[in-house]
């Protein structure tokens, strides 16, 4: 499965457009990460716990998007984008979406 954020693949021909596919996950903050984040806000530095949390959320949402694309017969997803939104205090959604296509 080819995943890209561009609208076309150089050297490849899109032979079928299958529509939008998506994947999402909602993640909540962990109390231990919140405590460390509080210290980092005082002293400065990267919030590694949150960086890891977001990386895991991106990976999971992309995996779900790929599953949906495979289920409808795609061999590529183009024009992939990410979006985030706050669901409630302490929880956020990460949403990945793109266009499922068949390429040759």
């Amino acid at each position: 499965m080819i995943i890209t954020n561009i609208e076309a693949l150089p050297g490849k021909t899109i032979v079928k457009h299958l529509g939008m596919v998506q994947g999402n996950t909602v993640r909540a903050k962990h109390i231990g990460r919140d405590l460390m984040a509080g210290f980092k806000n005082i002293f400065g530095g990267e919030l590694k716990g949150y960086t890891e949390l977001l990386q895991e959320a991106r990976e999971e949402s992309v995996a779900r998007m790929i599953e949906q694309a495979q289920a409808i017969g795609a061999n590529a997803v183009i024009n992939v984008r990410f979006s985030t939104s706050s669901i409630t205090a302490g929880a956020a959604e990460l949403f990945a979406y793109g266009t499922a296509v068949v390429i040759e």
Side-chain angles (χ1 to χ4, degrees):
M1 177 74 61
I2 297 172
I3 306 296
T4 184
N5 65 340
I6 58 178
E7 295 177 10
L9 294 166
K12 303 286 186 183
T13 302
I14 296 172
V15 295
K16 192 170 186 183
H17 175 272
L18 300 171
M20 188 177 86
V21 288
Q22 61 196 20
N24 72 320
T25 185
V26 176
R27 297 290 175 114
K29 294 187 273 186
H30 182 277
I31 188 67
R33 288 179 175 155
D34 277 349
L35 291 173
M36 293 308 295
F39 289 127
K40 289 288 184 175
N41 280 336
I42 295 169
F43 300 110
E46 181 183 7
L47 303 175
K48 291 186 183 195
Y50 288 123
T51 300
E52 291 170 5
L53 182 70
L54 285 172
Q55 181 61 35
E56 291 167 5
R58 274 190 297 273
E59 290 171 2
E60 187 167 346
S61 62
V62 168
R64 290 177 177 173
M65 180 185 68
I66 290 169
E67 283 178 29
Q68 189 178 52
Q70 289 172 330
I72 61 173
N75 64 359
V77 181
I78 60 173
N79 206 27
V80 172
R81 300 289 185 255
F82 291 95
S83 177
T84 59
S85 60
S86 178
I87 300 298
T88 184
E93 175 189 39
L94 197 132
F95 183 65
Y97 59 97
T99 303
V101 296
V102 176
I103 58 169
E104 288 184 341

